[in-house]
Amino acid sequence: MDGTAFLNTALEHVERLWGIAQGWLLSPAAWSQFGLLLVAYLAALYASRKLHPLLDRWLTPPEGQDSYIARARRFVSMFLPLLLPLLAYVFIGIGENVTRSLFGSGAVIAFGKRVFLFLAVRILVKEIIADPVMKVLGRYIFVPIAGLYALGILDEVMAYLDTTVVPLGNLSFSVLFAIRFVLVASAIFWLGRWSNEQSSQFIKKQDEMRPAMRELIAKTLEIGIFGVAFLLVMNIMGINLTSLAVLTGVIGVGLGFGLQKIASNFISGVILLLEGQATVGDYVELDGGEAGTIIKMTARATILETYDGRWIVVPNEDFITTRVVNYSDSGSANRYEAPFSVSYDTDINKVPAIIEAAVAKHPGVLNDPFPPDCELRGFGDNGVDFAVEFWVEGIDDGRNKFTSDVLFLIWNALKDEGITIPYPQRVVELKTPLTVSMPAT
């Protein structure tokens, strides 16, 4: 069907709809159906105003609850805006049965049902759907389809789209097939993404499992879920998977040449997750100077967050082929030291006990594997050099100020004991005496 034929068909439908409208305006049965529509709408409006507060209170769980039942109640409560059009649809369906039994016709009231169904779809897209992709599909596909259905011309439009063929090289497909493919694929992959999010959240709550194992299971499930989704789309749309053999071969050649880095990073990511030498939450430093906390591990790269909030994307291969320093592997403790000096007139035999007792008061300093240890490091130019070693759980970063806190404790402890911290002093020796000229009298 070409464009001209479709335009003529559309004009014919407009004329037909105009004739139907004129017939409704002059028909007592039609007016009675209009009255039933109005009664059904008012009844639905009254019922929704009474039921909406009750359902809202029942479906809204107490604040702070996060059980599966609470989540299900919140999910169902999202659809409360559909209460009015759905009640109207049900009441109008009852009215349709009455009018068909009395007048043998229910065309007007059936049209009202389709209109309220269109309003329900519009509310669903506008107020309930939050996913950006599904919102765009709903706005430009779901709502127009519901509008065509309400007008009663959906079958004719679908027939026209089915006969409109789009050539693509040796392949060709109809516009209707493309629309169906987009709808089915979007729905299945949206469901797959939702399932993946739910399963990932469940796995990450399993604290008895190693973090690396949790990440590996989550990634495996993600690949499995979207693989099944792809196969479902192909099967539902009737696409023969053997026709993709050539494409698979091309991808294989690409992996062997241009995509070998991507394949290497993917395999390196799997090795990282299996070995667990670096996982989400660890603070690492690479040979190249990149350092930060691992916040995400993808199939291609690992994302580090620095102290200043910047993200560094590091290929997974770098974690396998270069030296990596992990400062927080499996949440182990870390040792730091704080250097300081005291003046030469201090009884240095008392300093270690004073400093170790002061540092041990810090709530973050551990006694295991070792308590604070103050050591004499040397005799400097300006004073006696000491350093206190201490162990803490975590990294001395922007959130944790262990070294700074310990230096404060050292300062206060030395001040309380009357011990002075030296500052640089210089002795200047003059080889020749200074000549002082006296002013003339």
Side-chain angles (χ1 to χ4, degrees):
M1 184 184 296
D2 56 11
T4 304
F6 177 74
L7 181 60
N8 293 332
T9 304
L11 292 175
E12 292 177 0
H13 281 293
V14 171
E15 294 178 357
R16 180 172 62 85
L17 291 175
W18 175 245
I20 293 174
Q22 287 180 327
W24 286 355
L25 292 175
L26 301 176
S27 171
W31 280 105
S32 64
Q33 293 179 49
F34 277 122
L36 284 174
L37 280 176
L38 181 60
V39 171
Y41 172 75
L42 294 176
L45 183 63
Y46 176 80
S48 65
R49 288 182 176 178
K50 292 294 184 181
L51 290 175
H52 196 286
L54 298 175
L55 293 175
D56 189 36
R57 285 197 300 269
W58 185 79
L59 292 173
T60 303
E63 187 175 355
Q65 284 192 6
D66 197 32
S67 62
Y68 290 106
I69 296 178
R71 293 180 185 179
R73 290 167 65 181
R74 291 191 186 98
F75 178 76
V76 175
S77 66
M78 292 169 48
F79 297 91
L80 284 180
L82 296 176
L83 185 61
L84 174 60
L86 292 182
L87 284 176
Y89 183 86
V90 172
F91 292 163
I92 291 172
I94 299 173
E96 183 182 9
N97 295 330
V98 174
T99 55
R100 290 191 183 277
S101 62
L102 294 177
F103 303 103
S105 173
V108 176
I109 207 163
F111 173 73
K113 283 178 59 179
R114 297 196 299 267
V115 169
F116 279 105
L117 187 61
F118 165 76
L119 293 177
V121 173
R122 188 173 180 273
I123 293 173
L124 178 68
V125 172
K126 187 177 181 181
E127 301 183 18
I128 299 175
I129 295 179
D131 185 80
V133 176
M134 296 301 293
K135 207 171 189 67
V136 170
L137 290 175
R139 185 181 303 165
Y140 295 105
I141 295 181
F142 295 151
V143 173
I145 289 176
L148 294 173
Y149 175 74
L151 294 174
I153 58 174
L154 180 60
D155 293 337
E156 287 79 1
V157 174
M158 291 180 63
Y160 170 74
L161 295 177
D162 193 27
T163 56
T164 304
V165 178
V166 178
L168 186 64
N170 295 328
L171 301 175
S172 60
F173 54 88
S174 66
V175 176
L176 182 61
F177 176 84
I179 295 175
R180 284 176 175 172
F181 182 83
V182 171
L183 289 176
V184 172
S186 300
I188 291 179
F189 279 100
W190 177 84
L191 183 61
R193 189 175 69 174
W194 179 81
S195 303
N196 178 59
E197 290 176 354
Q198 299 301 315
S199 60
S200 297
Q201 291 177 4
F202 175 77
I203 292 171
K204 291 179 180 179
K205 291 180 180 178
Q206 309 305 311
D207 297 332
E208 66 275 6
M209 300 173 59
R210 290 172 45 238
M213 185 58 65
R214 293 200 298 264
E215 289 291 329
L216 178 61
I217 294 176
K219 293 298 179 186
T220 304
L221 280 176
E222 181 179 1
I223 295 173
I225 288 172
F226 285 104
V228 171
F230 173 77
L231 295 177
L232 280 175
V233 171
M234 296 297 106
N235 187 35
I236 292 174
M237 300 308 299
I239 299 176
N240 190 358
L241 294 178
T242 57
S243 61
L244 302 177
V246 176
L247 179 61
T248 305
V250 172
I251 294 176
V253 174
L255 288 175
F257 291 96
L259 302 180
Q260 53 183 320
K261 278 290 183 182
I262 295 178
S264 174
N265 286 320
F266 177 78
I267 296 173
S268 299
V270 174
I271 295 173
L272 280 175
L273 293 174
L274 285 173
E275 293 183 347
Q277 295 178 354
T279 186
V280 174
D282 289 351
Y283 183 85
V284 297
E285 181 179 354
L286 280 71
D287 260 354
E290 300 89 353
T293 303
I294 300 176
I295 61 172
K296 188 176 183 180
M297 301 180 72
T298 66
R300 186 191 66 85
T302 298
I303 300 176
L304 309 181
E305 184 177 18
T306 62
Y307 291 151
D308 54 3
R310 298 181 181 180
W311 283 15
I312 304 176
V313 180
V314 181
N316 290 329
E317 186 181 11
D318 291 356
F319 283 84
I320 303 297
T321 58
T322 62
R323 185 178 66 92
V324 179
V325 180
N326 191 339
Y327 290 92
S328 54
D329 183 29
S330 300
S332 60
N334 296 284
R335 192 194 72 173
Y336 294 94
E337 66 176 42
F340 64 96
S341 300
V342 298
S343 62
Y344 274 101
D345 59 358
T346 304
D347 184 359
I348 61 175
N349 297 295
K350 298 180 179 179
V351 171
I354 295 172
I355 298 303
E356 289 171 2
V359 174
K361 295 178 181 179
H362 191 284
V365 174
L366 305 175
N367 288 322
D368 186 26
F370 299 102
D373 181 25
C374 184
E375 298 178 352
L376 176 63
R377 292 297 173 87
F379 303 99
D381 296 335
N382 306 303
V384 184
D385 297 330
F386 285 87
V388 59
E389 298 175 350
F390 58 94
W391 289 78
V392 293
E393 188 77 40
I395 305 297
D396 190 11
D397 54 12
R399 293 180 295 273
N400 302 316
K401 301 177 181 179
F402 297 126
T403 302
S404 175
D405 294 341
V406 167
L407 288 174
F408 271 107
L409 292 173
I410 293 173
W411 173 274
N412 294 326
L414 294 178
K415 288 295 182 182
D416 292 341
E417 296 294 330
I419 300 174
T420 59
I421 298 176
Y423 53 88
Q425 301 181 27
R426 296 291 181 265
V427 176
V428 179
E429 182 180 353
L430 299 176
K431 295 296 184 181
T432 57
L434 290 174
T435 304
V436 181
S437 59
M438 299 298 292
T441 56

